[in-house]
Amino acid sequence: MRLSTASLRMPKLLYNFYERRLARALDANSVPRHIGVMVDGNRRWAKQFNAPTSQGHQAGADKILEFLGWCQDLGIKVVTLYMLSTDNMSRSAEELDELMGIIANTLDLLDADADISVHAMGAPELLPDYLAARLSSLTARVPAKERIHVNMAIGYGGRREIVDAVSELLHDADAAGRTMLEVADTLTVDDISKFLYTRGQPDPDLVIRTSGEQRLSGFLMWQSAYSEFYFCEALWPAFRRIDFLRALRDYAGRSRRFGA
């Protein structure tokens, strides 16, 4: 039996209705200020379609631009994207070359949006010179009217970030003429926080991981101490606005205690 055009259109109409209903139900005061996203599942998405891995990475990059549009529409001010970990650097040279090029093109597209500010998180020395240079240039750009701030975690590792923060703290203390014993006796959580890659920014209220995996993989290990976590089965390229709205609805229904 051949389905009519009207019957094929019905699921999309229902989907759009449900999406609008979810969006209307969100309280603007319950929307997180800062969201961290582990954009996981690009390679598995490509494998489902017998497509090359690079196609999965490109689909994931396209989804990032779409996702940031959703965030701007909802008034979310800070987004941290886990793009490439230090562990990912062990992948094949061919895959990394393709992925670096895709990331560079994504940065160019972000640069075209005058309302987005970008901050690089990670170890630039692990990246190709052209990509490190683009990140540096984009980070230096200051929007006239910032609608959203995006942290790009590329060549990032959570343990490395903490080590880098402590190292910078010790160098700063040495330059100020303080002994290591003085530093040890007065060291506080805030002292280390001041040297993290996200210094001066609010900690993430919500961390989302796609692809069904339920682990942090080193993402924002320090900053996420009191974050809420949401694990979504959808692979990142297939992550829909309705999936995002469900995550925000789930977040809004939680009672944040911050250890109390």
Side-chain angles (χ1 to χ4, degrees):
M1 181 177 65
R2 181 175 296 178
L3 295 175
S4 68
T5 302
S7 63
L8 289 172
R9 192 184 303 123
M10 186 58 67
K12 182 174 178 61
L13 290 174
L14 292 173
Y15 172 89
N16 291 338
F17 171 78
Y18 181 48
E19 182 183 288
R20 289 194 298 270
R21 182 179 176 184
L22 279 176
R24 285 196 302 267
L26 280 179
D27 180 356
N29 295 320
S30 68
V31 173
R33 297 170 301 164
H34 182 177
I35 294 180
V37 187
M38 307 177 71
V39 295
D40 192 21
N42 294 342
R43 296 199 295 177
R44 275 173 281 172
W45 181 87
K47 188 175 181 180
Q48 285 182 347
F49 297 98
N50 293 317
T53 299
S54 59
Q55 188 170 323
H57 289 315
Q58 184 60 62
D62 295 340
K63 181 60 64 175
I64 283 172
L65 299 170
E66 186 179 6
F67 176 77
L68 292 178
W70 302 339
C71 290
Q72 290 185 66
D73 291 343
L74 292 166
I76 294 163
K77 299 302 182 183
V78 184
V79 174
T80 300
L81 298 168
Y82 201 5
M83 300 277 294
L84 182 71
S85 74
T86 49
D87 293 333
N88 295 153
M89 302 303 293
S90 62
R91 294 179 180 177
S92 71
E94 179 182 5
E95 180 180 352
L96 285 175
D97 285 345
E98 291 174 336
L99 179 55
M100 298 294 184
I102 289 169
I103 291 174
N105 291 336
T106 303
L107 294 178
D108 288 343
L109 293 173
L110 292 178
D111 195 20
D113 190 329
D115 295 332
I116 293 179
S117 66
V118 175
H119 174 67
M121 295 172 51
E125 66 273 15
L126 298 179
L127 306 177
D129 290 343
Y130 74 89
L131 182 54
R134 290 194 195 191
L135 274 170
S136 178
S137 174
L138 192 50
T139 297
R141 191 199 66 179
V142 179
K145 185 179 179 182
E146 180 188 82
R147 288 188 63 196
I148 189 169
H149 179 90
V150 182
N151 298 311
M152 302 289 282
I154 304 172
Y156 171 88
R159 289 177 174 175
R160 176 164 183 153
E161 178 181 18
I162 295 170
V163 169
D164 285 350
V166 173
S167 177
E168 190 174 349
L169 183 153
L170 294 176
H171 279 95
D172 186 75
D174 183 67
R178 300 176 63 202
T179 67
M180 295 303 99
L181 184 58
E182 288 173 333
V183 173
D185 287 343
T186 62
L187 187 64
T188 67
V189 168
D190 288 340
D191 291 334
I192 294 177
S193 294
K194 288 189 295 187
F195 292 97
L196 295 172
Y197 299 153
T198 56
R199 66 195 73 177
Q201 301 180 32
D203 288 338
D205 303 297
L206 173 64
V207 175
I208 298 172
R209 180 166 189 164
T210 57
S211 84
E213 302 292 346
Q214 298 188 26
R215 59 180 182 274
L216 277 182
S217 299
F219 184 48
L220 299 177
M221 294 171 63
W222 183 280
Q223 299 91 327
S224 65
Y226 294 108
S227 301
E228 299 294 326
F229 296 92
Y230 185 86
F231 300 102
C232 178
E233 291 295 326
L235 303 175
W236 174 248
F239 188 69
R240 305 165 300 171
R241 187 169 185 265
I242 200 168
D243 297 316
F244 185 41
L245 292 172
R246 284 171 174 162
L248 296 179
R249 179 184 63 182
D250 183 84
Y251 168 82
R254 300 185 190 183
S255 177
R256 303 191 69 196
R257 302 182 183 277
F258 299 97

